Amino acid sequence: MCKRQRTANRSKLRALVPVVLPRKKLDMLRNRFGFVSVDLHSQVDDAKSRLLDVHNEMEVIKASGEALLTLAFHSIGEALTSLSMKRRIISNQFASHSVVFSNVQGPLSRVKLCGIPVEHISIPFSNVRLQ
């Protein structure tokens, strides 16, 4: 199992990213994924280098068991904690990241806003809490 490097030079911008895990059975209709925390390397000035750094970190994460551990943690927590505790855990996890990426499917039919067809939807959620 690969380990991610933890350094003092980590940026203050972090993303919470879902990593898809293999399904237990081929006929299952739901996805299995675990959220992982990824450094966005905002301290790197060159955009191409920054992208390669994030890509390399994601490759290490995908080869590790980190996503599986977060899935297990949330699955166990789901069964053993109260609703208010679940809300606190999720809120704290989301609040400690600058951005959260999701692969939630969009609408199946064309959406119109004021009668005009919407071509793309991006829903940013500002996280003004200091990291």
Side-chain angles (χ1 to χ4, degrees):
M1 184 183 322
C2 298
K3 290 186 179 181
R4 289 200 276 168
Q5 286 186 317
R6 307 280 184 184
T7 66
N9 292 338
R10 287 173 54 186
S11 68
K12 293 187 183 214
L13 293 176
R14 300 196 61 74
L16 196 59
V17 180
V19 175
V20 176
L21 299 164
R23 295 179 179 164
K24 290 182 180 179
K25 297 177 185 175
L26 292 176
D27 60 343
M28 286 180 57
L29 295 178
R30 64 183 192 149
N31 290 329
R32 291 182 67 224
F33 64 91
F35 276 108
V36 295
S37 182
V38 180
D39 185 349
L40 294 179
H41 298 272
S42 61
Q43 78 283 6
V44 177
D45 291 330
D46 178 59
K48 185 176 180 181
S49 296
R50 187 171 47 250
L51 181 62
L52 286 172
D53 287 349
V54 172
H55 171 76
N56 291 336
E57 185 170 353
M58 283 302 301
E59 290 301 309
V60 170
I61 290 170
K62 289 177 188 177
S64 75
E66 191 170 340
L68 184 60
L69 286 174
T70 62
L71 174 64
F73 174 77
H74 286 290
S75 297
I76 292 167
E78 176 72 26
L80 300 177
T81 60
S82 67
L83 180 59
S84 64
M85 179 59 81
K86 290 175 199 171
R87 287 179 177 158
R88 247 187 319 210
I89 290 169
I90 291 170
S91 176
N92 288 341
Q93 184 179 25
F94 278 56
S96 64
H97 291 83
S98 308
V99 65
V100 177
F101 290 101
S102 175
N103 60 353
V104 174
Q105 181 179 352
L108 296 177
S109 60
R110 185 119 214 186
V111 175
K112 292 185 179 183
L113 182 63
C114 298
I116 300 171
V118 175
E119 296 294 327
H120 304 283
I121 298 174
S122 292
I123 305 173
F125 294 93
S126 175
N127 183 1
V128 295
R129 180 177 168 183
L130 295 176
Q131 305 304 313

